[in-house]
Amino acid sequence: MSTLPPYLSEADLDALLARAWTEDVGAGDITTAATVPANANAQATITAKAPGVVAGLYVAAHVFRHANAPISIRWHISDGTRVEPGTTVGTLRGNAAALLTAERLALNLMQRMSGIATATRRMVDAARPHAPDILDTRKTAPGLRALDKWAVRLGGGTNHRIGLYDLFLIKDNHIAAAGGVAEALDAAHRYRNTHSTDLGIELEVRTLDELDAALAHGGADILLLDNMTHVTDDGTVDVSMLQTAVNRVDGTCRTEASGNVTLRTVAPIAATGVDAISSGALTHSVTALDLSMGLQLL
């Protein structure tokens, strides 16, 4: 299993799962209570039914603890492991009713996290050999951001900011409200100095003119080169504008590319020499990895 990421404590995980447990179980699992003898024991096997990267073992183990019955778990793989259909992920033994009540919540979280980890690993692999950081975004499921971003890490990606509080990210609407690129950057620096923080400042630019204005003013730690990749009518991936932008920055600060990032476009984007590539699709368009749990009474 993996260890907790720095932005998630054991207490926070327990609180998240307690809310999820209450949502699913409520006053009690009436079907299991009606059909399964209270003292029956069983063995359950979690199996992968599709190829991908498994994530969420640590989370699933916590889910089964919420069942308030002795359950032993043996994971046959680690978080972040590639699997093929038929791979045995884990074997569980204990009270049959507890196993059945916890089954869906555990699988739901594992399947979502595994889907994110799988998509991330594919993106990381597609970006080789250039190896920019593959970043997530804030386009996560509300209430599940910590798990979504944890799954990105388990898939080999890198977490971008966790929320609105740990990085200045000046986007087009902030620039419009501040009165321009220079004004927005100056305001961010004043805020940073006033509040005695060393948090980074990232600035979004969408055109080469905006880039030139940003470079002329200075003050950004990261430049977000947004929507500078285009797919032409004949299917060609055009990164010429992005390449020009990366060349103009010339290593004076970090660069991040976003917009139109897919498995098809990520390699040409990476080849421009950009430092990082962010993709909201890693978390906002999750295809869950198919996992199942079979149970046998002992």
Side-chain angles (χ1 to χ4, degrees), residues 96-261:
L99 287 167
L100 287 170
T101 299
E103 172 187 3
R104 180 42 50 199
L105 177 56
L107 287 181
N108 280 351
L109 294 172
M110 286 181 65
Q111 287 178 303
R112 178 177 176 84
M113 290 184 69
S114 297
I116 292 170
T118 299
T120 303
R121 184 70 58 81
R122 288 172 180 160
M123 192 76 75
V124 168
D125 289 346
R128 290 174 178 158
H130 308 286
D133 291 336
I134 300 299
L135 305 177
D136 51 29
T137 70
R138 286 171 48 242
K139 297 175 181 177
T140 55
L144 293 179
R145 177 168 297 168
L147 301 189
D148 284 0
K149 284 183 170 283
W150 189 2
V152 168
R153 290 164 66 100
L154 293 172
T158 301
N159 294 144
H160 204 279
R161 60 177 178 166
I162 304 305
L164 294 171
Y165 52 83
D166 59 341
L167 175 74
F168 296 90
L169 179 45
I170 304 169
K171 304 193 79 173
D172 55 345
N173 286 331
H174 300 107
I175 292 169
V181 167
E183 291 81 1
L185 282 169
D186 288 343
H189 278 279
R190 284 195 301 272
Y191 187 99
R192 189 163 71 172
N193 292 336
T194 300
H195 291 77
S196 300
T197 177
D198 59 356
L199 294 174
I201 296 175
E202 182 168 4
L203 176 73
E204 176 189 79
V205 294
R206 298 167 297 167
T207 68
L208 294 177
D209 286 343
E210 290 179 353
L211 173 66
D212 289 340
L215 291 173
H217 188 75
D221 301 301
I222 309 167
L223 286 172
L224 175 60
L225 310 175
D226 189 46
N227 282 313
M228 293 188 180
T229 299
H230 306 282
V231 179
T232 63
D233 291 340
D234 66 1
T236 301
V237 180
D238 181 3
V239 294
S240 57
M241 182 179 176
L242 177 62
Q243 185 67 72
T244 299
V246 172
N247 292 346
R248 288 188 187 181
V249 174
D250 194 27
T252 56
C253 65
R254 280 182 61 81
T255 53
E256 174 189 335
S258 68
N260 291 320
V261 178

Side-chain angles (χ1 to χ4, degrees), residues 1 12 23 36 44 62 71 88 105 117 142 150 209 259 292 295:
M1 289 196 297
D12 289 338
E23 176 186 67
V36 180
H62 273 252
I71 294 174
T88 299
L105 177 56
W150 189 2
D209 286 343
S292 68
L295 182 140

